[in-house]
Amino acid sequence: MKKFLLIAGGLMCLFLNVQAQKTNLDKVVAVVGSNIILLSDLNQQYAIYLNQGNPADEKAKCYFLQQMLVQKLLKQQAEIDSIMVDDSQVDDELDKRMRYQIQRMGGQERLEQFLQKSVLQYKDEMRPDVKEGLIAQKMQAKITENTNVTPLEVKKYFETYKKDSLPDIGTEVEVGEIALYPKLTKAEKQKYYDKLDAIRLRIKSGEDFSFLAKTYSEDPGSASEGGDLGFFDRSQMVKEFTAWAFKLKAGEMSPVFETENGYHILQVIERRGEQVHARHILIRPQTTPASLERVKLKADSIYKDINDKKLPFFTAASTYSDNKETQYNGGMMLYADNQTARTTFIPVEKLDPAVFVVIDTMKVGNISKPVAFNNPQDGKEGYKIFLLKSKIPPHKGNLDQDYPKFKERAQSEKQARVMSEWFQKRKETTYIRVDDEFATCDEMKLWVNKDKK
């Protein structure tokens, strides 16, 4: 094994010399198998850390380097196992990160000033790292996919807690909702259709699609990119949008069409198998006082039927609610911060403040009168009816009330052990080198092996 590692080390020296020339002498801070980690990559992670409002701390680089070593080892195994991710997944993750960064910095212009480069340049630079990260996540999921815990293992895990160390569980509630959005008449929507159709005619007359998208599109995720949506497949968009995207040829533009999000025009840029690269312009029809009055009357009628026991809440939610995320769950909200558990028990401090204000004074089993709401994220407004299904007061964690929580913790601990064992085996058979500047970090103790060096 030592002989193999010495030979691998010699080959890596030659490999690193070539890489150093390609990266304008950018310092290599670590090597994992045939993969290298550059100081510039590490500094980029540190810059993101600072951009998130964290205090300056050079020791944080040790932590980031450890995470990058983990990622490289997972990536190496993923290449062996032929695990890949679609470009559309990478695009989605990049867009999500950019939206977060832009919101954090208070606008795209401020972010670009901080980065000293355009968002498009930054996304291009980030793409390889984001893709590698998604591949590593997929590889880790494969390693732990069959790691489940039995009720006996959950019980044994719970018994590892001393009575005075059991976690304090705060107040939790189960809340149902029926969300009703205004529906505009054809006459009320006509001016928005006409506005977008006029933009479409301007494009056909030779005006720049990208400029008009930046000027007029009301899609916050793509307007700043000139309407560019990147590549996507048939499963990622609503059906009307998908129908036009896969019907058009490269360069063709759709007529104005409607989806649940508003009116669109779409232009296909490129087709690649079962994926399309397209851009669009979105105009969202705005609610009118008349449409709000109509939906209020509908909400009042539904509330009366539920209150008079003529209609069960869960049936009303499945039949009338316009929120697709809760409609098929009998109107019950899921805890958004823990989507894997799909639990309906939500800590009260994690509730939307507007929801908490309504349910705070309600008794278990009661429903609220219709409440006006305005969602700042997508601009939707309308009326909601809430049900307080259950309320668990603060208590010490126990298996009777909190079995799902302890099961999740037990499973996480078991998965961590599986990953630790996997890493230990892979590290013993993989050439790993860490630059002396970082070799003394506490986080590197498990990675730096004198025999390998």
Side-chain angles (χ1 to χ4, degrees), residues 67-251:
Q67 297 304 304
M68 294 168 85
L69 286 165
V70 168
Q71 186 166 298
K72 294 294 183 186
L73 201 55
L74 286 166
K75 177 204 171 194
Q76 182 168 282
Q77 186 63 40
E79 289 171 349
I80 295 170
D81 293 355
S82 300
I83 289 177
M84 297 177 290
V85 294
D86 295 332
D87 287 338
S88 58
Q89 291 176 268
V90 181
D91 290 331
D92 287 345
E93 182 63 21
L94 277 168
D95 289 341
K96 184 168 68 176
R97 293 191 187 192
M98 286 303 100
R99 284 195 294 270
Y100 173 78
Q101 294 287 346
I102 289 169
Q103 183 181 16
R104 182 91 191 179
M105 292 299 293
Q108 182 174 330
E109 189 175 338
R110 287 188 179 182
L111 177 61
E112 290 179 337
Q113 287 175 352
F114 175 82
L115 297 171
Q116 296 185 335
K117 62 188 71 173
S118 71
V119 165
L120 283 175
Q121 286 176 304
Y122 186 53
K123 285 175 72 173
D124 286 341
E125 291 176 7
M126 289 285 289
R127 175 173 287 277
D129 290 335
V130 169
K131 185 172 185 177
E132 185 177 286
L134 291 173
I135 290 172
Q137 288 175 20
K138 203 169 181 180
M139 185 68 238
Q140 184 165 338
K142 182 183 177 183
I143 295 167
T144 60
E145 64 183 348
N146 295 319
T147 308
N148 298 309
V149 288
T150 64
L152 180 60
E153 286 176 310
V154 177
K155 186 174 183 294
K156 286 182 177 180
Y157 172 78
F158 176 77
E159 289 171 349
T160 62
Y161 283 90
K162 294 179 181 179
K163 285 188 177 181
D164 58 356
S165 66
L166 284 167
D168 291 314
I169 309 295
T171 303
E172 294 181 321
V173 292
E174 286 186 294
V175 180
E177 68 164 13
I178 299 171
L180 302 170
Y181 304 137
K183 305 292 190 298
L184 300 185
T185 64
K186 187 174 181 180
E188 288 170 331
K189 292 190 288 186
Q190 188 62 43
K191 68 176 181 180
Y192 301 100
Y193 176 97
D194 292 342
K195 178 181 178 180
L196 188 53
D197 196 43
I199 294 171
R200 185 183 69 88
L201 292 174
R202 287 170 64 179
I203 295 169
K204 289 183 72 70
S205 297
E207 292 194 47
D208 182 57
F209 190 111
S210 178
F211 173 77
L212 292 174
K214 289 179 181 179
T215 306
Y216 296 107
S217 183
E218 295 171 2
D219 176 8
S222 69
S224 63
E225 305 294 335
D228 197 330
L229 297 165
F231 279 93
F232 55 89
D233 59 32
R234 295 178 186 272
S235 66
Q236 292 176 267
M237 302 293 181
V238 294
K239 61 181 181 179
E240 301 90 349
F241 199 94
T242 297
W244 279 108
F246 284 87
K247 179 179 180 180
L248 299 171
K249 297 177 182 177

Side-chain angles (χ1 to χ4, degrees), residues 3 16 56 64 102 118 139 192 236 268 304 365 376 397 421 431:
K3 184 178 179 181
L16 294 179
F64 294 131
I102 289 169
S118 71
M139 185 68 238
Y192 301 100
Q236 292 176 267
V268 171
K304 187 175 185 305
E421 291 167 5
Y431 175 80

Side-chain angles (χ1 to χ4, degrees), residues 184 189 192-193 196 218-219 238 240-241 255-265 280-286 378 380:
L184 300 185
K189 292 190 288 186
Y192 301 100
Y193 176 97
L196 188 53
E218 295 171 2
D219 176 8
V238 294
E240 301 90 349
F241 199 94
V256 177
F257 64 93
E258 187 178 9
T259 72
E260 63 191 44
N261 298 308
Y263 287 114
H264 308 255
I265 52 173
H280 81 136
I281 296 174
L282 169 68
I283 297 295
R284 297 179 185 273
Q286 302 299 309
D378 56 17
K380 287 185 177 180

Side-chain angles (χ1 to χ4, degrees), residues 338-453:
N338 192 352
Q339 295 184 0
T340 54
R342 291 191 63 79
T343 179
T344 54
F345 288 94
I346 306 172
V348 289
E349 66 272 15
K350 295 292 185 178
L351 277 175
D352 182 331
V355 177
F356 176 76
V357 168
V358 178
I359 64 103
D360 186 37
T361 56
M362 289 171 58
K363 293 180 179 179
V364 172
N366 286 359
I367 62 169
S368 72
K369 290 183 177 180
V371 179
F373 73 90
N374 190 326
N375 189 339
Q377 294 180 336
D378 56 17
K380 287 185 177 180
E381 54 184 324
Y383 284 85
K384 287 186 178 181
I385 302 169
F386 294 103
L387 162 71
L388 180 59
K389 182 183 178 184
S390 69
K391 185 174 185 177
I392 301 175
H395 62 279
K396 282 286 184 182
N398 62 79
L399 278 184
D400 291 335
Q401 290 178 297
D402 308 302
Y403 181 86
K405 294 183 181 65
F406 286 104
K407 180 182 178 182
E408 184 181 0
R409 293 185 185 193
Q411 183 149 330
S412 294
E413 187 179 85
K414 189 173 181 179
Q415 287 175 338
R417 287 200 305 271
V418 169
M419 286 306 304
S420 179
E421 291 167 5
W422 185 88
F423 279 120
Q424 193 59 41
K425 289 178 182 177
R426 291 302 180 277
K427 285 189 293 183
E428 291 301 320
T429 57
T430 305
Y431 175 80
I432 298 172
R433 198 201 83 184
V434 178
D435 186 80
D436 290 342
E437 180 183 350
F438 297 96
T440 56
C441 291
D442 290 340
E443 290 86 349
M444 294 299 108
K445 287 179 181 178
L446 294 174
W447 295 90
V448 177
N449 185 310
K450 292 181 179 179
D451 290 338
K452 289 182 183 181
K453 290 180 74 176

